[in-house]
Amino acid sequence: MSENIVHFEIKNKKAYLQINRPNALNALNKNVLTEIRDCCEILKDNKQIQVLIVSGSGDKSFVAGADIKELQELHNQNKEGENFSQWGAEIFSKLEQLPQITIARVQGFALGGGLELALACDFIIASEKARFSLPEVTLGLIPGFSGTQRLAKRIGSAKAIEWIVTAERYSATEALACGLVNHVVKSEDLIAFTEQIAEKIIKNAPLAVKTAKKVIQASEDSTFKEGCDIESKHFGLLLNQSESAEGISAFIEKRPAQF
Ligand code: HXC
């Protein structure tokens, strides 16, 4: 991470990944994507960090998409466009599969690849000034970092088609209404509110938190019955861990659990 385009910091069981190209509204160029990939490599085997907060620097933009100037260089380069899309999608998939709970903290624009980045996080907390759109069709393109798939899963395919083919820009409250974001808060409260949610998560039993994410994600590739079986298996595994021994004893002894 030599150029420091992505700021990565670890503080008390939490990691912070902040994209820092404010002059380009934090657009995702290849260096930024590479640094996001490197951060995922650091996080994937780390058992101490329980939450990752992803943000963009400055007030104006979370991330305004893939870097359009770099996209221009890929024009007419045979399979380069497909390769770029696949490469970026793999990085976002690494982010999605991290064991930590990942929160996109969105202020300002989350456009194109920026919205796709937020969608690869477990959930989104937005400021009231956040604006969401997949405007790729205005450039003669479609989303390429798995946004067609993740948006449809999150808000349903009818809404996703409308969003993508109109390239409309949506307010934070509209995004809340269709389930794209979990919370909308005043801009000045965004950081503190996100911290509060992160603190609630890190207070809980870490293995149980990690397992909950894994089991919920398993539902995407399984039938309801298979998902329930995965849930039961992991419930049983957790009940044999020292973490649940402590949580249950603490309840019975009327004291706070020490995880
Ligand atoms: C490169 C970008 C950029 C981007 C903004 N900038 N978005 N540079 N890639 N995606 C740069 C501008 O060129 C400008 O640089 C500076 O940031 C400030 O932007 P302005 O346009 O001057 O600001 P403003 O007028 O306030 O408009 C803000 C905006 C607009 C509405 C967000 O910048 C915009 O529409 N950006 C593009 C959004 C977009 O189409 N995103 C999707 C990209 S495609 P200079 O040097 O001129 O000051 C995509 C595909 C993903 O994401 C999948 C790939 C496989």
Side-chain angles (χ1 to χ4, degrees):
M1 274 165 257
S2 52
E3 289 185 53
N4 241 15
I5 302 173
V6 170
H7 288 170
F8 185 67
E9 200 184 344
I10 295 169
K11 251 194 277 172
N12 182 31
K13 301 184 183 175
K14 293 172 282 182
Y16 298 83
L17 183 164
Q18 183 169 67
I19 296 156
N20 187 35
R21 292 186 74 207
N23 293 340
L25 303 185
N26 302 319
L28 302 170
N29 63 11
K30 285 187 191 140
N31 288 340
V32 171
L33 289 165
T34 303
E35 292 189 21
I36 293 174
R37 186 196 61 195
D38 293 347
C39 292
C40 291
E41 284 302 315
I42 294 170
L43 288 166
K44 79 176 172 31
D45 298 316
N46 187 305
K47 293 191 172 59
Q48 310 307 320
I49 301 167
Q50 290 170 43
V51 174
L52 169 69
I53 296 173
V54 178
S55 64
S57 65
D59 291 338
K60 190 170 168 179
S61 178
F62 171 71
V63 169
D67 190 304
I68 296 172
K69 290 164 195 161
E70 281 193 356
L71 290 182
Q72 190 178 39
E73 289 165 20
L74 296 178
H75 186 65
N76 245 339
Q77 300 292 310
N78 296 319
K79 283 195 61 149
E80 287 304 304
E82 180 180 343
N83 293 343
F84 176 66
S85 163
Q86 218 155 38
W87 178 71
E90 277 164 20
I91 294 169
F92 284 15
S93 173
K94 276 186 203 294
L95 173 64
E96 183 173 57
Q97 283 159 25
L98 285 176
Q100 291 82 15
I101 305 301
T102 56
I103 306 174
R105 191 182 73 200
V106 176
Q107 85 295 6
F109 295 117
L111 309 180
L115 176 49
E116 295 177 284
L117 174 66
L119 280 165
C121 294
D122 293 325
F123 57 91
I124 301 172
I125 300 178
S127 96
E128 60 193 353
K129 293 192 183 141
R131 294 291 176 269
F132 299 89
S133 174
L134 289 176
E136 284 88 345
V137 293
T138 67
L139 303 169
L141 297 169
I142 59 169
F145 295 146
S146 311
T148 55
Q149 307 304 300
R150 287 201 182 95
L151 186 67
K153 265 191 199 149
R154 185 76 61 92
I155 69 173
S157 59
K159 274 206 156 42
I161 290 173
E162 184 183 343
W163 275 50
I164 290 169
V165 302
T166 61
E168 187 71 33
R169 202 177 290 162
Y170 295 91
S171 69
T173 41
E174 287 168 317
L176 181 70
C178 66
L180 174 68
V181 311
N182 279 18
H183 301 278
V184 176
V185 298
K186 289 200 167 97
S187 305
E188 60 270 28
D189 297 335
L190 181 64
I191 293 178
F193 183 83
T194 309
E195 287 301 310
Q196 276 172 27
I197 300 276
E199 289 297 323
K200 282 186 190 173
I201 296 167
I202 66 176
K203 237 178 56 198
N204 293 322
L207 187 60
V209 166
K210 191 166 94 175
T211 304
K213 170 173 172 169
K214 194 160 86 179
V215 172
I216 292 165
Q217 283 187 335
S219 72
E220 293 185 2
D221 300 317
S222 55
T223 63
F224 184 77
K225 172 75 177 77
E226 286 163 353
C228 292
D229 289 344
I230 295 170
E231 180 187 271
S232 296
K233 180 170 163 251
H234 284 87
F235 182 88
L237 287 172
L238 287 171
L239 205 47
N240 294 333
Q241 295 288 328
S242 55
E243 212 180 73
S244 62
E246 165 61 11
I248 292 169
S249 301
F251 175 80
I252 292 168
E253 292 161 17
K254 299 188 187 301
R255 61 172 175 81
Q258 300 293 322
F259 294 121

